[in-house]
Amino acid sequence: MIQTIIIRCDIFPGSGAGHIKRCLVLAQALAAVGFNPVFALDRDCGPLPIEVQFPIELVDGPFDLDGDAKAMKELARRLGARIVLGDSYRISEIWVKDLRSSGLDVVLIDDLGVGGQATLRIDYSPKPKRLQGSAINLLGPSYFITDSPTLSDRATPAKSVMLHAGGTGNFAAADQVYRAAATVARDKGLDVTWLCPNKLALAWLASSGLQTPSTKVISWQKWGNNLWSRYDIVVGPASTSLFEVILQGSLPVSFPISSTQSAKREVWLQLGHALHLEHKDVLSYEFAATVVDLAIEAFGPLRSQLTTYSQRLDGQGVERVVAAIAKIIDGKQPELADDAPPLAGIKACDLRDASKFLDARNAPNVCALSTNSHRVISWPEHLRWWLAETTERFVVESDLGPEAFFWHRPKVVNSQSYLIGGWFPAGGHPAFAAAIRLLDWQLDYCAGRYPDHIWVATINQENRAVLALNRRFGFVDADTNAREAVQQLFPGTSSEFVILQRKAQLS
């Protein structure tokens, strides 16, 4: 029996093309297994940015939750449908509850976390929201809906950059980012291409002063699914296109340009994507320029990190979603591909830990006892340090999350091999139990790897607990050589700090 499924999709002036694009991809996959998709669109949706080859029912406006839910119920009765799939930022819990109470199954692409009472909710963000409610949850990038090919990343230096603002073409929403990106790319000799889908975008670019004789401008691409693969670096909003850029082997620089786009860098790091600007960063030309410069300079390593940590984003999400919907129709429980939580213990950090690590480094209680108490480490600076291969970083994990971070690296001064390191409690709170664990583990670990090195530690004299802890583990007052080397090991060390040393491997 052919099942009709109504797809209530956002597409209206100013909404962009992301919703209709992923709904069309999903509709095509549903049709391939015997469903009959019918699109429900606003009557004033205007010209569609892509061709929809399925029946379209027009819904009168203006949109309101009660009226739209009533329209979906009437449409379902008329078409004999038992499933309504929602992909709209205007939908709320009220809409879901109303349709469910009438006996309809509701499938929700749930970017905003309102689908706890849906039949099935899909949140393919790198760190999806887990909600209270009866919904079956399809969570994480394994469920990203796309027809994008999965292509190999390129190892060559970056030679080209694409700048876009999604289907709205609203470059003005991140004016400083686009100006910085275009200028840095041009100065570094990269080919620069702008994607301008409408007159608004063309007008902004024409008045920006950023066009040069070599600048390329292309219009909206209605056809093809591998646009991003033509460019090494893609600068644009943190939307559906960002996932596609990763899939197609390019390196993204992203940022939020609307309240519905994921803003936190820590979220995107779960896919190995390190070049994301948060809301406060979007206003800073200097910050954006530093990030784009880093994208060009460290293109190979950064793209490699994406390849390593985005394996859950495999392009097969639409098949998994369709299979889950089919299971629901048959009254069965879908198979889920949720991620397992991290194991407790001490583990090596990777890029996915970098944002929380920086938060710990910049915590007020840590900065107050550092050699430069007024210095706040920026994300680009931290990321450069993170990419340095000589530093090893670790985290102490509990069942509730990270407790403390620590690091160490070798350094040679005046022909003597030293070890330096540091640790920071997570969450801005003391973590002395974790400190004892990590210091015991770290000293034992380094004794085997660096037996001929000498540990040097600089500790604020007011930090009596840490001073006592280090002395408990065999640190003693530094000798003349270590004191002379300390300005190269820990620049900015003043008389407020006690300098200690210890052989890495005790006799």
Side-chain angles (χ1 to χ4, degrees):
M1 178 180 174
I2 295 177
Q3 291 283 346
T4 295
I5 181 168
I6 297 170
I7 300 178
R8 182 63 173 115
C9 177
D10 266 354
I11 181 67
F12 49 84
S15 68
H19 296 278
I20 191 112
K21 170 68 184 301
R22 65 185 175 188
C23 283
L24 180 58
V25 170
L26 184 54
Q28 290 167 338
L30 286 164
V33 297
F35 284 87
N36 176 35
V38 176
F39 279 73
L41 307 179
D42 289 15
R43 185 172 296 279
D44 61 351
C45 62
L48 299 183
I50 52 180
E51 182 180 347
V52 174
Q53 312 97 333
F54 298 96
I56 297 175
E57 295 282 343
L58 297 177
V59 182
D60 293 327
F63 182 94
D64 73 87
L65 289 169
D66 291 338
D68 198 78
K70 180 180 179 181
M72 292 305 102
K73 290 185 287 186
E74 291 176 352
L75 184 58
R77 281 193 291 270
R78 177 159 60 85
L79 298 179
R82 54 172 281 197
I83 298 181
V84 177
L85 185 146
D87 186 4
S88 168
Y89 290 152
R90 301 173 295 177
I91 286 173
S92 77
E93 293 95 334
I94 296 171
W95 188 93
V96 174
K97 184 178 180 180
D98 197 344
L99 267 63
R100 291 285 284 138
S101 65
S102 71
L104 289 167
D105 284 315
V106 175
V107 176
L108 198 64
I109 300 178
D110 193 18
D111 299 341
L112 302 184
V114 299
Q117 299 303 326
T119 311
L120 178 72
R121 63 179 291 263
I122 303 146
D123 181 355
Y124 56 66
S125 70
K127 289 194 74 174
K129 300 172 183 176
R130 295 181 179 273
L131 306 180
Q132 296 293 322
S134 58
I136 297 169
N137 292 278
L138 305 184
L139 302 179
S142 297
Y143 296 100
F144 175 59
I145 298 166
T146 186
D147 61 350
S148 170
T150 302
L151 304 174
S152 300
D153 55 304
R154 64 287 321 258
T156 57
K159 298 176 183 177
S160 61
V161 61
M162 151 70 80
L163 300 102
H164 76 101
T168 64
N170 187 14
F171 290 112
D175 178 273
Q176 294 302 304
V177 177
Y178 291 113
R179 289 182 180 279
T183 302
V184 171
R186 183 189 62 213
D187 291 347
K188 294 281 188 177
L190 275 66
D191 292 333
V192 177
T193 300
W194 294 84
L195 175 60
C196 294
N198 51 38
K199 292 179 180 179
L200 172 72
L202 288 168
W204 182 91
L205 183 58
S207 64
S208 69
L210 296 172
Q211 282 186 284
T212 67
S214 62
T215 299
K216 300 180 182 69
V217 180
I218 63 174
S219 60
W220 183 254
Q221 308 291 293
K222 285 194 175 184
W223 309 111
N225 58 1
N226 64 344
L227 168 65
W228 315 116
S229 67
R230 306 171 202 170
Y231 307 94
D232 296 321
I233 297 172
V234 178
V235 179
S239 58
T240 300
S241 60
L242 173 52
F243 290 91
E244 294 174 343
V245 170
I246 296 171
L247 277 169
Q248 293 178 28
S250 302
L251 180 65
V253 175
S254 66
F255 41 87
I257 61 173
S258 78
S259 60
T260 58
Q261 293 171 352
S262 297
K264 290 294 184 181
R265 182 177 297 116
E266 199 269 332
V267 169
W268 292 108
L269 280 170
Q270 305 316 301
L271 287 177
H273 171 40
L275 302 177
H276 179 74
L277 287 70
E278 298 185 339
H279 276 300
K280 63 182 183 301
D281 308 322
V282 173
L283 303 175
S284 171
Y285 179 97
E286 291 75 16
F287 189 97
T290 304
V291 168
V292 175
D293 185 71
L294 185 56
I296 297 169
E297 177 186 328
F299 175 78
L302 288 168
R303 180 55 243 194
S304 178
Q305 296 284 315
L306 271 173
T307 302
T308 298
Y309 299 115
S310 65
Q311 293 179 12
R312 292 173 298 157
L313 184 63
D314 59 4
Q316 304 302 310
V318 66
E319 287 83 359
R320 296 186 181 102
V321 171
V322 169
I325 294 173
K327 288 278 189 181
I328 288 172
I329 289 293
D330 292 338
K332 299 177 181 177
Q333 178 75 19
E335 297 179 7
L336 304 180
D338 291 351
D339 296 324
L343 298 176
I346 294 176
K347 70 178 185 70
C349 288
D350 59 47
L351 187 66
R352 295 169 294 183
D353 303 301
S355 182
K356 289 182 178 179
F357 199 110
L358 178 59
D359 290 342
R361 288 182 83 186
N362 280 336
N365 59 317
V366 172
C367 290
L369 298 172
S370 70
T371 54
N372 188 345
S373 59
H374 300 293
R375 179 168 173 265
V376 175
I377 301 165
S378 71
W379 174 250
E381 179 186 357
H382 179 69
L383 185 55
R384 287 182 186 277
W385 176 76
W386 198 273
L387 294 174
E389 295 181 353
T390 56
T391 301
E392 293 186 276
R393 290 162 288 260
F394 303 87
V395 59
V396 182
E397 288 270 7
S398 74
D399 292 334
L400 300 177
E403 292 186 318
F405 297 95
F406 62 103
W407 64 274
H408 57 252
R409 72 167 177 266
K411 193 168 184 178
V412 176
V413 178
N414 298 327
S415 301
Q416 173 62 55
S417 297
Y418 293 99
L419 279 171
I420 59 173
W423 71 274
F424 325 101
H429 303 293
F432 290 111
I436 293 171
R437 282 184 66 198
L438 73 85
L439 193 55
D440 184 52
W441 185 93
Q442 185 180 41
L443 293 174
D444 182 64
Y445 175 86
C446 289
R449 287 179 67 90
Y450 308 101
D452 299 326
H453 288 56
I454 295 175
W455 276 103
V456 173
T458 59
I459 303 169
N460 191 295
Q461 60 190 2
E462 299 298 322
N463 200 352
R464 295 183 179 88
V466 174
L467 276 169
L469 181 62
N470 276 262
R471 291 190 184 279
R472 172 180 168 182
F473 278 94
F475 282 83
V476 298
D477 291 332
D479 60 23
T480 302
N481 291 335
R483 289 179 176 276
E484 290 177 353
V486 78
Q487 286 301 330
Q488 295 185 56
L489 298 173
F490 293 101
T493 301
S494 69
S495 59
E496 297 177 353
F497 288 80
V498 177
I499 305 171
L500 303 178
Q501 72 177 58
R502 177 191 186 274
K503 290 182 179 179
Q505 188 177 75
L506 298 176
S507 301

